[in-house]
Amino acid sequence: MTEAREKTTPSQAVAHADMANAIRALAMDAVQAAKSGHPGMPMGMADVATVLFREALRFDASDPKWPNRDRLILSAGHGSMLLYALLYLTGYPGMDIGELKRFRQMGAKTAGHPEYGHAPGIETTTGPLGQGLANAVGMAIAERMLNARLGGDVIDHHVYVIAGDGCLMEGISHEAISLAGHLGLGKLIVLFDDNGISIDGSTSLAVSDDEVMRFKASGWNAMRVDGHDPEAISAALANARADSSKPWLIACKTTIGYGAPTKAGKSSTHGEPLGEEEIKGTREKLNWRSPPFELPEPVLLAWRAVGQKGAKEHSSWKARTAKNDAAAALGSTAGASRQAAVADAIAQAKSAFASDENKRSTRVWSQMVLEGLIPVLPELIGGSADLTGSNGTRTKSAHTPIAKGSFAGNYIHYGVREHAMAAAMNGIALNGGFIPYGGTFLVFTDYCRAAIRLSALMRQRVIYVLTHDSIGLGEDGPTHQPIEHLAALRAIPHVLVLRPADGVETAECWEIALQHTQNPSILALSRQAVTNVRKAASTENLSAKGAYVLREPDGERDVTLIATGAELGIAVEAADALATEGVCAAVVSMPSMELFRAQPASYRAQVLGSAPRVAIEAGIKQCWHEWIGEGGGFVGLSDFGASAPAPKLFEHFGLTAGKTVETVRGLLKK
Ligand SMILES: Cc1ncc(C[n+]2csc(CCOP(=O)(O)OP(=O)(O)O)c2C)c(N)n1
């Protein structure tokens, strides 16, 4: 044995083909055992993934949360077995062979699509195509922002994405690659599984884009490689890592279902088990002799060595950052150390707002809250999908935008890209170290709903600042006036919808959004000025209970008026008018149905009372039955709005104190 041979590590001693075939075998056998799944993509991308893990990806399987690890995002989430096989092979904690055998079964770590939190090493939940790619753009932004704050000794890593034709066909991909190119995110490397196949068959049925040219046009470096030639893949990755002037697309020409004797290259390998016969033939073709879920020992050892190859770099990172508090804080919840300062900023805002007699919109109150918050909470990263001046997301004094080559700032101009903004915020939150918030008009949540849903599914603290929250936006008309949106957002599990009524409530709602580390929050804010209803400074965050009695009448309640946001002023006015008729009306403010639902039944009963109820909200009735009951009254909308000045619209659609009084009269007569 030569000296060089003696020094060969277990990882290097095993042929590339054997290591890649281990992935193929695990993928086809797990899908076969589950009787469902997608074997074709993992089999096609096995060569690319093997080279990536052996040569490029910086990670230490024993510490999947190492902050300076490279991120790997499987945007083509249907190919989940590729990721699960790699996590098992490299020895990630908890990903044993039993989990692969239980692929897609109840309670397994190996869900149908990768789910964040199910197993270490899954960086984000993917499945809706294109989302992972846009998450990765957020992670690559976060990487640069941490690099700018903490220095390259602490954070300096790559973000890799495996994306398929489907990811690149989705509209969100355009927003994401355009933003990444604009910001020059040179640490982002996308490995495109260029197999020319999707579910319907050849992608030529539906698309003829030249992806390399498309990415180049968006400011990326882009190249093509043979995705089954390990040397070519290796050279491409080395090239991309060496040049971080721009993000990289490496279009890897692959064969879906590589190795399958009759199905390779066909869409039949995409989404169903290969079948026993085909699997037998694949084993022969790949010269893979091991039975299902068994691996030749040298192959497994070689893979395990790959899992440990980053350990040295990891320990030297630990040594050089041991005394660095900022690096240590990366492992903990962002902002934890700032809680007292945040509480103080909120308290100051509340007491100033309570005595401020100016009428303002809640979007402006929100901007004023941010003026106090940003300086004490540097983790808070603002942004907006254009419309910055309209939604008040950027403060006058505390914000500096980030830009290509300049990431020390704390504000992101996402451009007119709502969907990518929301998905990138998911990536920023998942990355750790930051609390992202981003703004647009409430009506345009339709454009980012898929990503909002994933914020909720992944339980990420992403804060959506959504202004122009009703017909109260006026002249822009029904295209811009949200009607069903509050109900639609309240329908997503784990989303906190917060609709504050005035300045004090807006400050309280910001505090709530920051405190809820396991939820995305929606701040629904008005364009129009609102009535100041909370005129006394209270130390208690009344909005945190979801609903509270703003005003109790002198006598026993005849009716309870419940309102949210700007319409609370209408409820107060109606209660005053009713009082002149001798009707005792209580006024309840309900900034958050979700928080109220979580209160003890006794509190809810006390707030809602036993008198008939009328709700007032400039939106649809759906979701109000829960609070007003079958016989309750509703002053709201049941159709699209119209283009006119806001006061005219409220009059026209009957969202007035007069109509509320009428509704109460009708209810009490029954
Ligand atoms: C937003 C979204 N639309 C549709 C789907 C359903 N779907 C899953 S995979 C797939 C085809 C993807 O094709 P490609 O990326 O080429 O994957 P490959 O066939 O190469 O594995 C589709 C339409 C999805 N997961 N997400």
Side-chain angles (χ1 to χ4, degrees):
M1 201 180 269
T2 65
E3 203 184 315
R5 184 99 180 100
E6 276 166 8
K7 281 188 182 158
T8 304
T9 65
S11 161
Q12 290 159 339
V14 174
H16 164 88
D18 287 332
M19 296 190 67
N21 287 339
I23 298 174
R24 294 189 173 101
L26 289 171
M28 69 180 180
D29 290 333
V31 171
Q32 189 66 25
K35 299 191 184 68
S36 102
H38 301 76
M41 184 275 194
M43 294 172 78
M45 282 298 276
D47 290 311
V48 174
T50 300
V51 178
L52 174 68
F53 270 68
R54 274 182 120 174
E55 297 182 13
L57 195 74
R58 182 207 291 153
F59 73 108
D60 176 356
S62 70
D63 183 2
K65 288 281 178 199
W66 173 21
N68 200 31
R69 71 195 180 280
D70 286 342
R71 306 300 196 267
L72 171 62
I73 309 305
L74 185 71
S75 190
H78 59 278
S80 55
M81 264 312 301
L82 178 69
L83 184 56
Y84 301 150
L86 288 161
L87 297 181
Y88 162 67
L89 288 167
T90 53
Y92 272 77
M95 190 58 82
D96 55 36
I97 197 74
E99 292 293 343
L100 300 196
K101 290 180 182 167
R102 296 198 303 134
F103 179 46
R104 292 188 156 227
Q105 304 310 304
M106 181 67 90
K109 293 184 164 67
T110 48
H113 294 83
E115 290 189 45
Y116 177 74
H118 276 212
I122 301 174
E123 303 280 7
T124 179
T125 296
T126 50
L129 296 170
Q131 292 287 336
L133 175 60
N135 293 161
V137 170
M139 291 179 187
I141 292 172
E143 189 272 341
R144 285 294 87 192
M145 291 196 301
L146 286 176
N147 175 278
R149 284 158 175 74
L150 307 178
D153 258 7
V154 181
I155 294 294
D156 190 6
H157 64 81
H158 282 93
V159 179
Y160 294 94
V161 181
I162 295 178
D165 295 292
C167 292
L168 300 194
M169 276 192 261
E170 290 290 352
I172 192 173
S173 77
H174 179 70
E175 297 181 22
I177 67 169
S178 167
L179 181 60
H182 172 73
L183 291 173
L185 300 176
K187 292 284 181 160
L188 179 64
I189 301 177
V190 172
L191 299 159
F192 165 35
D193 180 17
D194 185 11
N195 61 22
I197 293 288
S198 68
I199 293 175
D200 280 3
S202 167
T203 52
S204 66
L205 289 168
V207 68
S208 40
D209 298 348
D210 181 328
E211 294 295 358
V212 165
M213 279 167 62
R214 178 164 83 111
F215 276 72
K216 280 187 176 169
S218 292
W220 289 52
N221 286 314
M223 64 179 296
R224 295 176 213 276
V225 292
D226 175 347
H228 298 299
D229 176 346
E231 280 171 21
I233 301 162
S234 169
L237 280 169
N239 198 24
R241 287 160 63 213
D243 174 4
S244 43
S245 59
K246 297 174 182 177
W248 273 94
L249 173 79
I250 304 176
C252 311
K253 198 83 203 147
T254 62
T255 303
I256 192 167
Y258 182 95
T262 72
K263 294 187 174 177
K266 295 185 183 155
S267 61
S268 53
T269 66
H270 167 95
E272 59 188 35
L274 295 181
E276 297 293 356
E277 265 316 291
E278 189 77 5
I279 286 179
K280 196 163 156 246
T282 308
R283 282 197 146 69
E284 277 161 22
K285 202 164 166 120
L286 296 177
N287 197 21
W288 187 260
R289 305 281 161 211
S290 305
F293 301 110
E294 287 181 25
L295 298 169
E297 203 185 350
V299 175
L300 184 58
L301 286 177
W303 267 116
R304 290 287 148 94
V306 171
Q308 290 161 16
K309 78 178 165 48
K312 227 168 129 189
E313 209 174 339
H314 183 195
S315 38
S316 76
W317 181 88
K318 273 193 188 152
R320 69 175 186 266
T321 58
K323 295 205 172 80
N324 185 329
D325 289 347
L330 284 174
S332 67
T333 313
S337 56
R338 324 269 195 207
Q339 275 167 14
V342 168
D344 211 42
I346 296 291
Q348 278 185 31
K350 279 174 69 173
S351 94
F353 297 176
S355 57
D356 187 335
E357 305 219 322
N358 290 308
K359 271 186 87 179
R360 297 187 174 89
S361 61
T362 51
R363 62 181 170 143
V364 169
W365 287 120
S366 167
Q367 189 175 23
M368 289 167 68
V369 176
L370 287 171
E371 294 283 359
L373 269 181
I374 303 292
V376 298
L377 192 58
E379 292 89 347
L380 198 53
I381 300 297
S384 186
D386 212 56
L387 297 173
T388 290
S390 299
N391 58 33
T393 42
R394 186 171 164 185
T395 58
K396 292 195 176 75
S397 53
H399 273 127
T400 310
I402 64 158
K404 187 178 198 163
S406 163
F407 288 88
N410 56 356
Y411 193 86
I412 303 171
H413 286 283
Y414 288 100
V416 191
R417 302 184 185 99
E418 295 84 2
H419 201 176
M421 173 179 74
M425 289 200 292
N426 283 339
I428 293 171
L430 287 161
N431 184 81
F434 296 113
I435 308 167
Y437 76 84
T440 182
F441 289 171
L442 178 59
V443 78
F444 300 135
T445 50
D446 288 340
Y447 275 46
C448 49
R449 191 176 166 87
I452 296 175
R453 186 172 189 271
L454 285 165
S455 313
L457 186 58
M458 292 191 276
R459 311 299 297 264
Q460 292 301 299
R461 178 173 44 178
V462 174
I463 302 173
Y464 296 91
V465 180
L466 303 169
T467 63
H468 297 59
D469 70 348
S470 77
I471 56 167
L473 65 85
E475 295 84 346
D476 271 339
T479 55
H480 284 48
Q481 292 163 355
I483 302 298
E484 74 283 20
H485 297 74
L486 288 169
L489 290 164
R490 286 172 182 145
I492 306 177
H494 306 302
V495 171
L496 264 189
V497 179
L498 302 159
R499 189 165 186 251
D502 70 354
V504 173
E505 277 200 9
T506 302
E508 290 182 341
C509 286
W510 264 108
E511 184 172 47
I512 294 165
L514 291 170
Q515 282 170 346
H516 279 76
T517 58
Q518 307 288 306
N519 289 85
S521 293
I522 303 274
L523 289 166
L525 304 171
S526 74
R527 178 196 179 217
Q528 77 278 23
V530 294
T531 311
N532 295 335
V533 288
R534 291 273 298 279
K535 293 176 184 159
S538 80
T539 43
E540 190 188 350
N541 186 329
L542 296 178
S543 304
K545 287 182 173 163
Y548 61 93
V549 180
L550 177 75
R551 191 200 280 192
E552 198 68 74
D554 287 339
E556 199 179 323
R557 286 190 201 184
D558 295 312
V559 67
T560 299
L561 306 178
I562 312 168
T564 76
E567 286 76 71
L568 194 61
I570 298 177
V572 170
E573 203 185 323
D576 286 343
L578 287 165
T580 64
E581 299 179 15
V583 176
C584 291
V587 178
V588 168
S589 176
M590 190 179 275
S592 170
M593 293 186 179
E594 300 78 24
L595 292 176
F596 187 55
R597 199 176 288 122
Q599 298 307 310
S602 56
Y603 177 75
R604 279 184 279 133
Q606 177 205 323
V607 170
L608 294 173
S610 51
R613 298 168 202 155
V614 175
I616 310 144
E617 186 173 76
I620 59 167
K621 191 174 180 183
Q622 197 171 324
C623 75
W624 276 103
H625 289 109
E626 185 177 357
W627 314 114
I628 59 176
E630 264 310 298
F634 182 67
V635 179
L637 297 162
S638 56
D639 205 342
F640 297 116
S643 170
K648 282 263 177 272
L649 289 170
F650 280 102
E651 204 57 48
H652 176 79
F653 288 105
L655 267 153
T656 59
K659 184 73 193 305
T660 307
V661 169
E662 242 175 67
T663 307
V664 171
R665 283 193 203 122
L667 208 60
L668 297 184
K669 245 188 249 159
K670 276 183 195 163

